[in-house]
């Protein structure tokens, strides 16, 4: 059986899948904040309890924020900053006494939806997480791409395509640049842009709810958001030409995106027609942990 671990900033989740993809065990625990040794111990405890529950030793795949640097073997680019610069994979392999597989959490999300989720059977899948941040993963013929720099799919840290004069230079991003897609399309970005454009502070769910209730200001903000998403995904389609794009994260619950964004992206895609499908995730917020388990199907 395959075990997946989703190492998040606030919680660590473990799941055990059998060969059919059915869940045999699931548990979540809080992530020890700012405590690297405590994080290792929490993962070790989850693995031990899961294997006792299913009665056998499992393969272990782990989805993490950030990535393993090919140059140093240490973690980089993690918003859980306690992981950065640490030999996480090596430490966990020593703790668990076995080889593990590890991938970026967005790669795990994309892999889950490509294996037995919304994009099952598709040859090329682009899996996007639009939540607190904005990440993505690429899966080709059932294999998650990593790349020589371990940044395949880092969509959120490219600039917003075809910006208007009003969108330049764009909001400041924590990466040190301005106008990154993440600053526009993450749930956090939508809220920050809304207050900059309207002067009213409102979180993403509130903007969506008020738009649905007929509020003209929030409706206009969501229409601008949809156009920005259409431009950003058109840029991906022009480069990757995926069969399916799957949305994850909190903004994936905004149902209107699946109708409205594909109606808009055609004007930006370099093609006479666009066959790419934009889909909601089948496995919801469980996709990342399932994808970590499926790292052992690769």
């Amino acid at each position: 059986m395959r075990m997946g671990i989703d190492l998040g900033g606030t919680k660590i989740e473990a799941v055990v899948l059998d060969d059919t993809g059915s869940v045999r065990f699931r548990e979540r625990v809080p992530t020890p904040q700012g405590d690297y040794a405590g994080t290792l111990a929490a993962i070790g405890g989850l693995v031990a309890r899961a294997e006792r529950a299913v009665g056998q030793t499992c393969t272990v795949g782990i989805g993490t924020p950030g990535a393993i640097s090919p140059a140093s073997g240490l973690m980089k680019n993690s918003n859980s900053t306690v992981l950065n610069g640490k030999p996480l994979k090596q430490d966990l392999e020593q703790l668990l006494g076995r080889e593990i597989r590890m991938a970026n959490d967005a790669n795990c999300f994309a892999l889950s939806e490509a294996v037995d989720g919304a994009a099952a059977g598709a040859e090329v899948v682009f899996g996007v997480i639009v939540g607190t941040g904005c990440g993505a993963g690429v899966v080709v013929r059932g294999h998650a791409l990593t790349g020589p720099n371990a940044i395949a799919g880092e969509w959120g840290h490219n600039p917003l395509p075809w910006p208007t004069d009003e969108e330049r230079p764009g909001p400041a991003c924590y990466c040190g640049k301005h106008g990154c897609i993440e600053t526009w399309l993450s749930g956090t970005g939508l809220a920050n842009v809304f207050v900059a454009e309207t002067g009213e502070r409102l979180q993403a769910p509130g903007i969506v709810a008020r738009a649905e209730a007929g509020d003209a200001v929030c409706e206009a903000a969501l229409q601008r958001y949809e156009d920005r998403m259409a431009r950003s995904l058109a840029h991906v389609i022009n480069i990757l030409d995926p069969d399916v794009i799957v949305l994850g994260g909190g903004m994936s619950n905004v149902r209107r995106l699946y109708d409205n964004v594909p109606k808009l992206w055609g004007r930006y895609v370099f093609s006479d027609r666009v066959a790419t499908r934009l889909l909601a995730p089948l496995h919801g917020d469980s996709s990342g942990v399932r994808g970590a388990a499926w790292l052992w199907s690769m």
Side-chain angles (χ1 to χ4, degrees), residues 228-265:
R228 289 161 182 157
M229 177 173 278
R231 281 181 267 159
S232 300
L233 292 178
H235 199 224
V236 172
I237 295 169
N238 284 339
I239 296 169
L240 188 63
D241 201 10
D243 298 275
V244 176
I245 297 172
V246 186
L247 298 184
M251 294 303 295
S252 72
N253 296 316
V254 183
R255 302 303 306 177
R256 59 184 279 172
L257 297 179
Y258 302 99
D259 291 325
N260 294 349
V261 171
K263 291 176 183 176
L264 297 170
W265 67 24

Side-chain angles (χ1 to χ4, degrees), residues 52-113:
R52 282 198 301 269
V54 300
Q56 67 181 75
T57 300
C58 304
T59 59
V60 177
I62 299 183
T64 67
I68 300 172
S69 167
S72 66
L74 306 178
M75 291 294 295
K76 66 173 184 176
N77 297 347
S78 177
N79 54 12
S80 295
T81 55
V82 72
L83 302 178
N84 289 328
K86 299 294 198 303
L88 180 62
K89 184 173 187 290
Q90 299 93 310
D91 286 344
L92 285 172
E93 286 181 333
Q94 182 175 5
L95 176 67
L96 300 177
R98 75 195 77 172
E99 178 190 359
I100 66 171
R101 294 184 180 177
M102 186 176 291
N104 175 264
D105 50 10
N107 288 6
C108 291
F109 166 76
L111 183 61
S112 170
E113 293 298 328

Side-chain angles (χ1 to χ4, degrees), residues 184-185 190 221-229 251 257:
W184 296 102
L185 296 188
L190 173 59
L222 270 190
Q223 289 183 15
R224 291 191 294 272
Y225 178 90
E226 288 165 347
D227 183 67
R228 289 161 182 157
M229 177 173 278
M251 294 303 295
L257 297 179

Side-chain angles (χ1 to χ4, degrees), residues 98-189:
R98 75 195 77 172
E99 178 190 359
I100 66 171
R101 294 184 180 177
M102 186 176 291
N104 175 264
D105 50 10
N107 288 6
C108 291
F109 166 76
L111 183 61
S112 170
E113 293 298 328
V115 170
D116 65 350
E123 185 170 77
V124 180
V125 178
F126 190 69
V128 176
I129 297 177
V130 270
T132 305
C134 193
V138 182
V139 175
V140 178
R141 301 187 186 98
H143 290 259
L145 302 186
T146 301
N149 304 299
I151 56 170
E154 281 293 357
W155 174 66
H157 290 284
N158 290 285
L160 182 71
W162 300 284
T164 65
D165 289 341
E166 292 76 17
E167 292 168 337
R168 297 187 182 95
C173 184
Y174 77 88
C175 74
K177 298 179 175 60
H178 282 78
C180 289
I181 288 169
E182 178 167 307
T183 67
W184 296 102
L185 296 188
S186 65
T188 306

Side-chain angles (χ1 to χ4, degrees), residues 189-203:
L190 173 59
N192 290 340
V193 170
F194 185 81
V195 70
E197 292 178 339
T198 69
E200 182 179 3
R201 183 160 296 283
L202 195 62
Q203 298 305 307

